[in-house]
């Protein structure tokens, strides 16, 4: 999927937090999974936030990077 929904345990994003990273611990490393695109603006932990799934775009990112 290109997007996914998630919410934290006792935490959530608030207005102005767009673009925040979603990371997961894999072994002894943290892996960048996605970034926030939109959600509620009032920090309600019962609501889900929508994230862009980075793995869905790895090929496009690699193809278009100019390093």
């Amino acid at each position: 999927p290109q997007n996914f929904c998630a919410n934290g345990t006792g935490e959530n994003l608030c207005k102005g937090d767009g673009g925040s990273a979603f990371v997961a611990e894999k072994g002894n490393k943290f892996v960048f999974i996605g970034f926030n695109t939109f959600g509620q603006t009032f920090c309600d932990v019962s609501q889900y936030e929508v994230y862009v799934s980075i793995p869905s775009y790895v090929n496009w990112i690699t193809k278009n990077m100019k390093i």
Side-chain angles (χ1 to χ4, degrees):
Q2 294 180 343
N3 295 313
F4 63 94
C5 296
N7 72 344
T9 305
E11 299 178 12
N12 209 347
L13 299 175
C14 298
K15 185 175 183 178
D17 288 342
S20 296
F22 185 96
V23 296
E25 191 171 0
K26 187 174 183 181
N28 61 349
K29 297 180 181 180
F30 285 93
V31 180
F32 182 41
I33 303 296
F35 61 89
N36 177 259
T37 56
F38 65 91
Q40 302 297 322
T41 60
F42 45 84
C43 313
D44 184 351
V45 296
S46 69
Q47 300 295 313
Y48 286 86
E49 302 292 332
V50 179
Y51 293 83
V52 170
S53 175
I54 296 302
S56 299
Y57 292 96
V58 168
N59 289 338
W60 182 88
I61 292 167
T62 303
K63 179 182 169 188
N64 291 283
M65 281 179 33
K66 295 186 175 25
I67 298 179

